[in-house]
Amino acid sequence: MYTEKVMDHFQHPRNMGEIENASGVGTVGNAKCGDIMRIYLDIDDDQIIRDVKFKTFGCGAAVATSSMATELVKGKSIQEAMAITNKAVMEALDGLPPVKVHCSLLAEEAIHAALWDYAEKH
Amino acid sequence: MYTEKVMDHFQHPRNMGEIENASGVGTVGNAKCGDIMRIYLDIDDDQIIRDVKFKTFGCGAAVATSSMATELVKGKSIQEAMAITNKAVMEALDGLPPVKVHCSLLAEEAIHAALWDYAEKH
Ligand code: FES
């Protein structure tokens, strides 16, 4: 049912945790399943995402997509990060079952919310 | 949204893992969200559940209810374990949001499936 990459990122999530005094924080909820996700971004003066962490109450698919999404945005500019879609994240994981696609939206939405939070503060 | 007990069992799940050569193993899927859960039981000759472990791809609510359910069945007889409902597990956690009740069914169903697996083998 799940690809090797999904299982790997589920069992060994990258960048799980919090960032104190983050440059931007995004919290989103999933209306379909009631799960929540929070992404923390640390953005430097050159507008490069130096660090990123996530926390979620979501399922294995939410954990795996967040883990992959944080890897994809780390080291990127704000513009590059904005362009990363949940489709790109799912492709990097070699796919997700259709019933789990809505879970993957959490990571994309939380990253956008965190970038928005950063933009509002700057 | 989540009680202190739910957050505690989500962040520090009890009895997560596998049992090699378990007396009974139950695997169930959740049609609503596509998540899966597996429970391993170690049952002794007096039909007492000596050890129990779980693994799940499910969300935080599934993790918390499984963690609590495994604590409730540990040390119990097969008959006592059969009588533990997801309602009892949710009460032990001081409740769950309605959207998450279907997640709590996974643990109950997986325990029943594991007891059934044990019964079939003996
Ligand atoms: S949403 Fe699937 S187990 Fe909770």
Side-chain angles (χ1 to χ4, degrees), chain A:
Chain A
M1 181 169 179
Y2 293 106
T3 69
E4 259 176 55
K5 280 189 193 163
V6 170
M7 289 312 291
D8 176 33
H9 280 264
F10 166 53
Q11 287 170 326
H12 311 284
R14 280 63 141 182
N15 306 311
M16 209 178 215
E18 295 177 39
I19 297 175
E20 266 186 64
N21 305 315
S23 324
V25 179
T27 309
V28 293
N30 189 321
K32 188 158 174 189
C33 62
D35 285 333
I36 44 176
M37 161 92 55
R38 182 169 292 163
I39 295 248
Y40 303 81
L41 296 176
D42 192 13
I43 298 171
D44 70 12
D45 293 341
D46 298 326
Q47 306 214 320
I48 301 296
I49 298 169
R50 286 292 161 214
D51 200 11
V52 46
K53 299 268 185 213
F54 78 94
K55 270 172 49 175
T56 186
F57 201 75
C59 69
V63 170
T65 49
S66 309
S67 170
M68 180 57 89
T70 55
E71 288 219 307
L72 292 178
V73 301
K74 210 168 179 171
K76 297 286 197 319
S77 70
I78 292 178
Q79 282 69 25
E80 288 168 327
M82 276 304 271
I84 293 169
T85 60
N86 78 303
K87 192 162 165 284
V89 175
M90 286 196 297
E91 276 168 13
L93 289 168
D94 296 335
L96 270 181
V99 69
K100 286 289 157 190
V101 172
H102 76 278
C103 312
S104 73
L105 290 168
L106 278 175
E108 179 187 325
E109 287 169 9
I111 288 170
H112 288 177
L115 288 168
W116 190 254
D117 179 48
Y118 168 81
E120 280 190 331
K121 286 180 185 156
H122 290 80

Side-chain angles (χ1 to χ4, degrees), chain A residues 32-35 57-60 100 102-103, chain B residues 2 30 32-37 56-63 65 99-104 106:
Chain A
K32 188 158 174 189
C33 62
D35 285 333
F57 201 75
C59 69
K100 286 289 157 190
H102 76 278
C103 312
Chain B
Y2 293 105
N30 190 319
K32 188 159 173 190
C33 63
D35 286 329
I36 43 175
M37 160 91 56
T56 186
F57 202 75
C59 69
V63 171
T65 49
V99 70
K100 286 286 154 188
V101 172
H102 75 279
C103 312
S104 73
L106 278 175

Side-chain angles (χ1 to χ4, degrees), chain B residues 40-107:
Chain B
Y40 303 81
L41 296 176
D42 192 14
I43 299 172
D44 70 13
D45 294 341
D46 298 327
Q47 305 215 321
I48 300 297
I49 298 169
R50 286 292 160 214
D51 200 10
V52 47
K53 298 269 185 213
F54 78 95
K55 267 173 50 175
T56 186
F57 202 75
C59 69
V63 171
T65 49
S66 309
S67 170
M68 180 57 88
T70 54
E71 288 220 307
L72 292 178
V73 301
K74 209 166 179 174
K76 297 286 196 321
S77 70
I78 291 178
Q79 282 69 26
E80 287 168 326
M82 277 304 272
I84 293 170
T85 60
N86 79 304
K87 194 163 163 281
V89 174
M90 286 196 296
E91 277 169 11
L93 288 168
D94 297 335
L96 271 180
V99 70
K100 286 286 154 188
V101 172
H102 75 279
C103 312
S104 73
L105 290 168
L106 278 175

Side-chain angles (χ1 to χ4, degrees), chain B residues 102-122:
Chain B
H102 75 279
C103 312
S104 73
L105 290 168
L106 278 175
E108 179 187 324
E109 287 169 9
I111 288 171
H112 288 177
L115 289 168
W116 191 253
D117 180 48
Y118 168 82
E120 280 189 332
K121 286 180 186 156
H122 291 79

